[in-house]
Amino acid sequence: MKGLSICHSSRASSSLPDFIIFFMTFYVHNLESARFTVIGPDHPVTTIVGEDTVLPCHLSPRMSAENMEVRWFRSEFTSFVHLYQHGKDEYEQQMPEYHERTELLKAGIMDGNVALRIVNVRPFDEGQYRCFVQDDVFYEEAVLDLKVEASGSAPQISVESYQDGGIRMVCQLAGWYPEPEVLWRDRSGQLLSSSTKTKSKDGRGLFEIKSSIIITENSNQNLSCSIRNAYFNLEKEPSTFYISDFFFPRTSPWPVVCSVTLVILLVFISLTLFLFMLRGKHLNTISKLQVDLEWRRSLSNAVTVTLDPDTAHPQLVLSEGRKCVRRVDILQRLPNNPERFDYRAFVLGCEGFITGRHCWEVDVGAGQYWAVGVARESVRRKEWISPSPEGGIWAMQRWEGLFWALTSPETPLLLSRAPSRIRVCLDCDRGQVTFIDAGDEAPIFTFPPGSVPGERIRPWFWVKDTDTRLRLRHTAEGETGNQSL
């Protein structure tokens, strides 16, 4: 019995190390299977349409992810936004919407940073993203939200028609995302209810909104229209409009008689004053007419203008002769030199002017979204810039069927026809810019003398959509030459 007892004790003592080894191996394996977590931001990432954004994501504790699989996707695992696998980027099953628009930032991958950059953000990019990291059989993921915003044009109020004994006022805006709230207010700031609202999206997915309201004679006639971005709690400066009693339709003839009498009286007084002042000012008037006539008829001021590729936004494609420019959806891989515009699709002319008079013509065709003019050579090239004199730009634009002078605020241009060729005339000595319809020599708009500062000024162009082509013409010859895109 003692022998048996000794033998049993010996067998038990020999199995104890095997159990300890098994337990430690199992414990270590479990530790290795849960060795990291994937961490993203605890708040939504916000960005602006057209800009680049970075979606943060990293491992905790910090460790190298160089040999791991990093997959960014949205709703479907196999249809990914970006995939890093076997030490390189894979694009075979990448979502078409993100082709050539994503980059895994590998500078910090040895420290577990697996952030994703998305270039030229679009409204489509808004939503939920998953940062998935896998090492062998173990994997973890983090979920984060991206919110996208675009601040478009300021609200513009106009009179549309008479309706129901009042006047239908319209507030229009374009280029906003997400859909903003249109706010009508009276003189005291109280909100008014709009009668109708229509909305649509342009080619980039940005909202265009038309809101209308009927104002009657007995209502508060001083009103404003503003817009509010719900995501970012941003309200655009309102546009204000005052409606005189004279605008409202009348059923009684006496107000009409009084109004007509008043108009006749005002015309008589104005004519008398005009005749009185004509004697002292006729020479200045003749001089001004002569100057305008020179702009329209003289070809001696015509200059040859070419486009400067070093300033062109990455979405702009120039012709070989640098006379034509068009826009594409995808950002080209171009050097990010200091001269290049990186926010809006602007490009400057190569030529700069300090003194003298200079004219050039731009063939805008039937394009609906464009702007042409001049800019200071020192105009800001990076980030957002206001296309107005405050931003160093003097120009006119077309937005759909409407034309505007890019003053501050913008000035609507009531043209009898849509010009297909614009002549831009720069008088450096007078500090003045004039725009003329080169088709019928009709003046369009003139920035007053002294508007343009006495520094080097260059031609400026803005292509707003992919259907627009801008061509520089040989003004003296009236031809475009063989320049095609």
Side-chain angles (χ1 to χ4, degrees):
M1 293 294 295
K2 185 175 181 181
L4 290 175
S5 176
I6 292 173
C7 182
H8 175 76
S9 298
S10 175
R11 188 179 296 112
S13 63
S14 64
S15 64
L16 182 60
D18 295 337
F19 175 76
I20 294 175
I21 292 172
F22 170 78
F23 177 79
M24 292 180 66
T25 302
F26 178 79
Y27 181 74
V28 170
H29 180 268
N30 283 346
L31 284 178
E32 290 180 349
S33 298
R35 60 177 175 269
F36 66 81
T37 56
V38 179
I39 298 177
D42 57 0
H43 55 80
V45 177
T46 59
T47 189
I48 297 175
V49 171
E51 293 188 350
D52 299 351
T53 190
V54 174
L55 304 181
C57 185
H58 68 271
L59 306 183
S60 179
R62 298 284 184 174
M63 63 180 65
S64 174
E66 187 176 20
N67 296 319
M68 299 183 186
E69 176 183 318
V70 180
R71 182 186 297 258
W72 283 89
F73 66 98
R74 300 193 68 172
S75 58
E76 297 183 13
F77 183 84
T78 56
S79 184
F80 53 82
V81 175
H82 193 95
L83 176 61
Y84 173 83
Q85 195 176 47
H86 306 306
K88 62 180 182 179
D89 298 307
E90 302 285 352
Y91 299 101
E92 185 174 349
Q93 293 183 329
Q94 185 184 34
M95 295 175 66
E97 295 84 356
Y98 293 95
H99 181 59
E100 295 187 352
R101 294 180 53 231
T102 61
E103 177 189 3
L104 188 71
L105 302 182
K106 302 183 182 67
I109 197 169
M110 300 296 292
D111 296 323
N113 288 318
V114 290
L116 181 71
R117 183 201 306 270
I118 302 178
V119 303
N120 188 21
V121 171
R122 306 169 183 175
F124 166 82
D125 298 330
E126 183 174 77
Q128 192 177 85
Y129 290 78
R130 296 179 180 272
C131 175
F132 173 91
V133 182
Q134 181 172 353
D135 184 18
D136 196 13
V137 297
F138 177 76
Y139 63 87
E140 283 284 350
E141 70 175 25
V143 180
L144 60 154
D145 287 323
L146 175 65
K147 291 190 180 296
V148 177
E149 185 261 349
S151 297
S153 64
Q156 299 290 336
I157 300 180
S158 60
V159 178
E160 185 176 76
S161 61
Y162 292 106
Q163 182 175 337
D164 301 331
I167 298 175
R168 176 177 289 276
M169 307 295 298
V170 176
C171 181
Q172 292 180 288
L173 53 131
W176 283 83
Y177 191 88
E179 180 185 351
E181 181 182 4
V182 180
L183 305 175
W184 289 94
R185 288 190 173 93
D186 60 16
R187 181 185 309 179
S188 61
Q190 296 296 316
L191 290 174
L192 303 173
S193 299
S194 61
S195 58
T196 60
K197 182 176 111 172
T198 59
K199 63 180 180 180
S200 60
K201 289 185 179 181
D202 61 18
R204 295 186 300 164
L206 305 181
F207 282 96
E208 300 174 350
I209 296 179
K210 180 179 179 181
S211 176
S212 63
I213 189 172
I214 297 177
I215 300 299
T216 61
E217 183 178 5
N218 297 326
S219 63
N220 193 323
Q221 298 165 24
N222 192 0
L223 74 162
S224 66
C225 174
S226 61
I227 45 182
R228 178 189 298 156
N229 187 315
Y231 278 9
F232 298 84
N233 195 26
L234 171 68
E235 186 166 336
K236 193 81 169 181
E237 183 177 348
S239 176
T240 305
F241 198 97
Y242 180 76
I243 307 173
S244 172
D245 292 339
F246 181 77
F247 282 92
F248 291 96
R250 308 284 186 172
T251 56
S252 172
W254 289 109
V256 176
V257 172
C258 292
S259 299
V260 172
T261 303
L262 179 61
V263 170
I264 294 175
L265 181 61
L266 291 175
V267 170
F268 176 77
I269 294 174
S270 300
L271 183 60
T272 302
L273 292 175
F274 173 75
L275 293 175
F276 179 78
M277 298 173 61
L278 183 61
R279 179 168 182 163
K281 293 188 175 181
H282 72 282
L283 293 177
N284 291 335
T285 302
I286 294 174
S287 176
K288 182 178 183 303
L289 291 174
Q290 289 176 340
V291 170
D292 291 341
L293 194 59
E294 287 180 13
W295 281 123
R296 298 177 199 173
R297 294 183 177 176
S298 176
L299 295 178
S300 62
N301 302 314
V303 294
T304 298
V305 172
T306 56
L307 302 169
D308 184 355
D310 291 336
T311 66
H313 184 275
Q315 284 184 273
L316 295 182
V317 177
L318 308 186
S319 67
E320 183 177 352
R322 298 187 298 181
K323 284 286 191 177
C324 307
V325 58
R326 64 182 176 90
R327 181 168 180 166
V328 294
D329 288 328
I330 300 175
L331 286 172
Q332 304 173 86
R333 296 186 179 274
L334 299 175
N336 187 21
N337 50 287
E339 297 84 10
R340 191 178 307 284
F341 292 101
D342 67 356
Y343 186 85
R344 283 176 165 168
F346 297 168
V347 61
L348 295 179
C350 291
E351 296 71 24
F353 310 103
I354 300 178
T355 61
R357 298 175 180 174
H358 312 277
C359 293
W360 58 92
E361 292 184 4
V362 185
D363 191 343
V364 298
Q368 295 289 314
Y369 302 92
W370 52 262
V372 296
V374 300
R376 295 183 303 191
E377 187 168 60
S378 60
V379 66
R380 190 169 63 185
R381 314 296 174 88
K382 307 302 179 183
E383 301 179 350
W384 184 87
I385 177 176
S386 172
S388 66
E390 286 75 7
I393 295 172
W394 295 263
M396 64 165 290
Q397 74 166 0
R398 180 174 188 176
W399 181 269
E400 292 186 335
L402 302 178
F403 294 87
W404 306 84
L406 296 182
T407 53
S408 184
E410 297 173 351
T411 302
L413 304 176
L414 303 178
L415 306 183
S416 59
R417 72 184 192 108
S420 61
R421 182 159 43 101
I422 303 295
R423 182 179 304 158
V424 183
C425 297
L426 169 65
D427 188 336
C428 296
D429 300 329
R430 300 182 67 190
Q432 177 177 303
V433 182
T434 299
F435 299 93
I436 296 172
D437 182 345
D440 60 6
E441 301 296 328
I444 297 176
F445 183 80
T446 297
F447 284 88
S451 300
V452 183
E455 62 177 273
R456 190 177 179 86
I457 302 298
R458 297 171 65 177
W460 172 89
F461 310 87
W462 184 8
V463 184
K464 302 182 182 182
D465 72 334
T466 56
D467 294 327
T468 297
R469 304 286 191 277
L470 298 183
R471 300 175 184 270
L472 284 161
R473 300 176 65 100
H474 297 294
T475 310
E477 303 171 8
E479 298 178 351
T480 58
N482 185 19
Q483 300 288 339
S484 61
L485 280 174

